[in-house]
């Protein structure tokens, strides 16, 4: 667990830089007009982050106007990193040890906003996790997601095959992370397709890898994680 925490904090720093413009847009558009209903209107947005890691999303939450955050994280090695990052950002953070499939510490309809980025690749059950997200959100509340996914079978057939070949190795080395990750159908099933707005993109667009032996152009770092989907799912009223 400690090794994975260090890997995510240090080894993925460049990847987070690549994702920054996309995250800024996602949080700005997904949160800017969201009203604080779960608190009864007397406070700010009640927000939940699943798999907070080292707190890489905290600056986007603060920029979107979130002052208090509840986080659920299965890896205790991230706690000190995240608390330090929250203090830097001026974010009041409460951390619970737990998993996305069992958010027992949160009542039904109790949060305005749920955020999860690069989380569904490693949960045991995506459906249970998304059902828990849906349960905790109040009607009209939003779930912001950004996940690396299985490459498109038509446009990126070669990359998809390579992801499949290396999927087991990735799971063993990266805390269960699956390269063959396809969360969007589950999100659409739980929330209803009409309540989900999503966009596919490649995280390494515009980036090139180093030159290898004999001047061969190598792929960018993290190219196996490059295919992504991001979006906003809204809990319908009466759900």
């Amino acid at each position: 667990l400690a090794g994975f925490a260090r890997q995510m904090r240090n080894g993925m720093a460049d990847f987070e830089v690549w994702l920054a413009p996309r995250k800024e847009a996602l949080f700005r558009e997904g949160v800017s007009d969201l009203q604080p209903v779960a608190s009864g209107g007397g406070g700010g947005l009640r927000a939940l982050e699943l798999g907070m890691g080292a707190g890489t999303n905290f600056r986007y939450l603060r920029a979107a106007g979130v002052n208090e955050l509840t986080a659920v994280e299965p890896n205790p090695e991230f706690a000190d990193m995240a608390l330090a990052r929250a203090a830097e950002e001026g974010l009041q953070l409460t951390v619970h040890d737990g998993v996305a499939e069992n958010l027992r510490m949160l009542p039904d309809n109790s949060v305005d906003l749920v955020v999860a980025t690069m989380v569904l690749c490693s949960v045991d059950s995506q459906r249970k996790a998304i059902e828990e997200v849906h349960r905790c959100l109040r009607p009209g509340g939003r779930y912001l997601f950004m996940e690396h996914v299985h490459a498109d079978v038509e446009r990126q057939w070669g990359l998809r095959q390579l992801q499949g070949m290396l999927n087991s190795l990735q799971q063993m080395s990266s805390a269960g992370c699956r390269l063959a990750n396809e969360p969007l159908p589950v999100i659409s099933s739980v929330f209803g397709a009409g309540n989900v707005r999503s966009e596919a993109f490649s995280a390494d667009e515009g980036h090139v890898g180093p030159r290898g032996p004999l001047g061969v152009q190598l792929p960018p770092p993290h190219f196996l994680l490059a295919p992504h989907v991001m979006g906003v799912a809204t809990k319908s009223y009466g759900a």
Side-chain angles (χ1 to χ4, degrees), residues 98-137:
V99 295
E101 298 95 324
N102 186 358
L103 302 176
R104 61 188 180 281
M105 70 291 295
L106 293 164
D108 296 358
N109 307 313
S110 61
V111 297
D112 300 295
L113 174 70
V114 177
V115 172
T117 63
M118 295 181 72
V119 168
L120 294 178
C121 58
S122 58
V123 299
D124 289 336
S125 170
Q126 291 187 350
R127 176 161 290 276
K128 287 182 180 179
I130 300 305
E131 287 176 348
E132 279 289 82
V133 168
H134 189 268
R135 178 186 65 79
C136 293
L137 277 171

Side-chain angles (χ1 to χ4, degrees), residues 67-115:
N67 298 315
E68 299 181 17
L69 177 69
T70 298
V72 176
E73 170 60 56
N75 188 340
E77 298 294 334
F78 278 123
D80 288 343
M81 301 178 199
L83 288 167
R85 180 73 64 87
E88 292 174 4
E89 298 292 344
L91 182 68
Q92 184 175 329
L93 175 66
T94 301
V95 180
H96 295 277
D97 180 26
V99 295
E101 298 95 324
N102 186 358
L103 302 176
R104 61 188 180 281
M105 70 291 295
L106 293 164
D108 296 358
N109 307 313
S110 61
V111 297
D112 300 295
L113 174 70
V114 177
V115 172

Side-chain angles (χ1 to χ4, degrees), residues 15 18-19 118 121 146-153 155-160 163 178-179 181-183 199-205 221-230:
F15 199 62
W18 297 356
L19 291 175
M118 295 181 72
C121 58
M146 181 179 288
E147 300 286 345
H148 70 82
V149 296
H150 214 179
D152 183 78
V153 67
R155 295 185 299 105
Q156 297 176 302
W157 182 87
L159 177 57
R160 186 182 177 93
Q163 286 176 322
R178 294 180 297 272
L179 295 171
N181 182 38
E182 299 189 13
E199 175 186 352
F201 69 96
S202 180
D204 62 4
E205 184 177 358
H222 320 299
F223 72 97
L224 291 170
L225 305 177
H228 264 63
V229 65
M230 71 176 191

